Amino acid sequence: INGGTVGTPETWTDFQGDDSTNGWGVCGNPLADQFQMNASFDMGDAGTASSYFEMDGVQLYLFGQTYGAGHFFWDLISNATGTNQLVIKGSQIISIAGANGNPIDLGWNSANFDNIQVDGSIFVDVGNWDLPANSVTRWIRTSVIDNPISITPNGMEISDTTINQGPQSRADGLMILDTAGDSNNLDSVIFNSDGTGHAIEITATGAYTFTSLTFNDYAGQGGTAANRAVYNNSGGVVTITVVDGATPSYRDGAGASTTIVANIALTFSPLIAGSEVRIMEHGTATEIDGVESSGTSFVATVPSGQALDIRIVKQGYEYVESINVTYTTSQTIPVNQLPDGNFDTVD
């Protein structure tokens, strides 16, 4: 399916009209905003042209049973010359496997597909997701993903989204993190267990950050191993830094070991611009976070419950210091920097 232009993106109405005109017989339109697709398909242009696609308020049924026993696919193809964009807003995408077929797989990991923007949409029974690397113009936000087989995010942003594990989800983990740092752009994601299997499988050693992730109905650390939130199947050392959100239970596979570090965010505000902020381990010279020259606020990441010494310095203002303080939740720390009456400005 070739895309439209930036001003007139290709829609399912456009494609279904072409389907009828040309007699292809692969796309139906039983109701105004309801479409059904009966074949695997590519979106984009492998040559040099730009491709713009938009789905707004669409209900799309993807019928796999007419394709045969293998998975069928929705792939994105692209080129380095043109601009390639897929926008999905307020839509429902429903995969129907049927007796002879399997759910549709999303082959969206196309390096030159510039913009993928999914907002406020619902995906039901869509199979294996392969997403592209992170960029500021690629995201899935405020959406629901119900009963996927697997999701390989490859670092792409998924935020404010609910993912429901279901009968077809992989028991080893519906979300696969196969490179250290792949979780850095997951934010405010809710994982709901159906009682079996893991939410996340980690297959590469290294450091991962979980920001405001929630794991509902997974087994605790002392509970059923096969239903804990995270499965470390990397064969080695994994460190998970939790920034807000829940501290996940985990299962270690053969040769694997997991360390959980629970962090919180402290926002210092208001600050006089140009202030130096230092957060140290209490009683030591070990710096946890800090900034040489701040803006009007500064966000520090610190371990939950860690004893801290905090110092804020700005020329012309009184020294601000808090010694041996601890915090267990993210919060804003109010700062009152008073002018230093003893300070003489040097001309």
Side-chain angles (χ1 to χ4, degrees):
I1 306 175
N2 293 323
T5 66
V6 63
T8 56
E10 180 84 356
T11 66
W12 280 104
T13 298
D14 297 329
F15 178 67
Q16 203 281 323
D18 294 339
D19 181 275
S20 297
T21 299
N22 294 284
W24 297 328
V26 297
C27 183
N29 181 208
L31 296 172
D33 292 320
Q34 186 180 93
F35 299 88
Q36 54 192 41
M37 194 68 178
N38 300 298
S40 294
F41 59 98
D42 295 330
M43 278 184 166
D45 189 294
T48 60
S50 296
S51 298
Y52 290 86
F53 302 94
E54 181 175 280
M55 297 173 59
D56 191 352
V58 168
Q59 188 174 63
L60 177 63
Y61 288 90
L62 304 166
F63 287 91
Q65 69 268 34
T66 59
Y67 187 72
H71 285 244
F72 72 123
F73 59 81
W74 172 359
D75 285 354
L76 299 180
I77 58 176
S78 58
N79 60 80
T81 304
T83 299
N84 309 277
Q85 175 169 297
L86 171 63
V87 174
I88 302 176
K89 299 183 292 186
S91 295
Q92 298 178 21
I93 294 87
I94 302 159
S95 176
I96 300 176
N100 299 316
N102 288 307
I104 191 166
D105 289 341
L106 300 185
W108 288 6
N109 189 3
S110 182
N112 292 315
F113 213 95
D114 307 277
N115 306 328
I116 301 174
Q117 299 167 9
V118 180
D119 292 276
S121 295
I122 299 172
F123 295 81
V124 179
D125 296 342
V126 175
N128 297 295
W129 302 51
D130 189 15
L131 301 177
N134 182 60
S135 83
V136 295
T137 55
R138 296 175 182 154
W139 65 72
I140 297 173
R141 297 174 178 167
T142 60
S143 295
V144 175
I145 302 173
D146 189 60
N147 191 32
I149 294 177
S150 70
I151 301 172
T152 305
N154 292 313
M156 180 173 156
E157 177 192 334
I158 303 176
S159 61
D160 299 297
T161 288
T162 298
I163 303 176
N164 298 318
Q165 201 155 7
Q168 74 170 0
S169 299
R170 291 176 70 251
D172 282 349
L174 66 83
M175 180 168 286
I176 303 169
L177 304 181
D178 57 9
T179 304
D182 269 359
S183 62
N184 291 355
N185 297 298
L186 303 178
D187 192 342
S188 301
V189 177
I190 299 172
F191 294 88
N192 292 319
S193 172
D194 67 342
T196 59
H198 307 286
I200 295 173
E201 180 187 16
I202 296 175
T203 61
T205 60
Y208 297 81
T209 299
F210 288 4
T211 302
S212 299
L213 303 188
T214 301
F215 301 94
N216 291 325
D217 298 323
Y218 291 90
Q221 194 58 36
T224 305
N227 186 224
R228 294 176 189 166
V230 175
Y231 178 27
N232 178 1
N233 197 24
S234 70
V237 176
V238 164
T239 300
I240 298 172
T241 298
V242 177
V243 180
D244 294 334
T247 299
S249 57
Y250 62 88
R251 166 192 173 194
D252 285 332
S257 63
T258 303
T259 300
I260 305 289
V261 179
N263 280 353
I264 59 173
L266 299 181
T267 302
F268 295 88
S269 179
L271 290 171
I272 304 300
S275 295
E276 180 181 356
V277 181
R278 299 295 172 195
I279 299 97
M280 319 293 289
E281 287 185 7
H282 170 58
T284 76
T286 302
E287 182 174 335
I288 295 174
D289 205 345
V291 62
E292 185 74 23
S293 180
S294 73
T296 57
S297 66
F298 171 66
V299 180
T301 300
V302 303
S304 175
Q306 171 73 55
L308 307 172
D309 294 338
I310 299 169
R311 298 176 177 90
I312 302 174
V313 181
K314 171 63 178 172
Q315 189 177 55
Y317 291 83
E318 293 182 357
Y319 186 75
V320 177
E321 184 177 53
S322 297
I323 301 298
N324 195 18
V325 292
T326 60
Y327 301 92
T328 57
T329 59
S330 294
Q331 57 192 277
T332 296
I333 310 299
V335 180
N336 184 21
Q337 293 171 278
L338 300 176
D340 185 353
N342 295 319
F343 177 75
D344 291 328
T345 301
V346 177
D347 293 331

